[in-house]
């Protein structure tokens, strides 16, 4: 990239970042009541996103080949148990990820 292209690219990245950071404050100022559909989305989207991530992560698991989805099932169980026990999302995700990586690398590795 030329210097001009680099400057334009950097300016676009900065503009995009600033726009996504500041736009909500312009659309929903502090004194104005938040619309009901935005409050609704704030309630339902987190669960929908996590559900979509679970489906995405499990889309290539084949129950009738290789490890039969056992590392995934164990790791999901670990995530559930850790979350019910500690109620800390970071601990749950990290614990499940570490469990899965250890199982795939050391136990079910090919």
């Amino acid at each position: 990239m030329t210097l001009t292209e680099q400057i334009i690219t950097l300016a676009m990245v900065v503009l995009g970042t600033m726009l996504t950071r500041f736009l909500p404050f312009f659309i929903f100022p502090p004194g104005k009541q938040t619309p009901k559909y935005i409050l609704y989305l704030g309630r339902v989207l987190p669960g929908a996103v996590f559900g979509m991530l679970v489906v995405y992560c499990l889309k290539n698991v084949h129950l009738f080949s290789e490890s039969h989805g056992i590392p995934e099932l164990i790791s999901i169980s670990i995530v559930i148990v850790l979350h019910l026990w500690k109620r800390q999302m970071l601990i749950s995700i990290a614990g499940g990820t570490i469990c899965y990586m250890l199982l795939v690398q050391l136990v079910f590795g090919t």
Side-chain angles (χ1 to χ4, degrees):
M1 266 198 250
T2 66
L3 181 61
T4 305
E5 291 172 336
Q6 290 177 1
I7 291 171
I8 291 171
T9 301
L10 184 62
M12 290 291 119
V13 169
V14 168
L15 179 67
T17 301
M18 289 176 58
L19 186 66
T20 57
R21 299 283 187 213
F22 300 138
L23 191 60
F25 295 104
F26 291 126
I27 296 174
F28 308 113
K32 188 177 172 186
Q33 186 175 3
T34 306
K36 291 197 183 298
Y37 68 91
I38 298 296
L39 296 174
Y40 170 74
L41 290 176
R43 280 195 319 272
V44 298
L45 277 181
V49 168
F50 279 108
M52 184 176 63
L53 286 172
V54 168
V55 170
Y56 177 78
C57 290
L58 297 177
K59 70 179 169 71
N60 291 326
V61 174
H62 302 289
L63 298 177
F64 301 110
S65 66
E66 296 176 16
S67 62
H68 305 291
I70 295 170
E72 290 85 358
L73 182 63
I74 293 171
S75 299
I76 289 172
S77 302
I78 294 292
V79 169
I80 292 169
V81 168
L82 282 174
H83 189 69
L84 291 175
W85 178 41
K86 290 291 187 178
R87 298 280 183 201
Q88 292 289 322
M89 188 182 318
L90 185 59
I91 292 173
S92 305
I93 293 171
T97 302
I98 291 168
C99 174
Y100 178 75
M101 293 309 294
L102 289 173
L103 287 172
V104 169
Q105 297 295 323
L106 302 175
V107 180
F108 293 95
T110 53

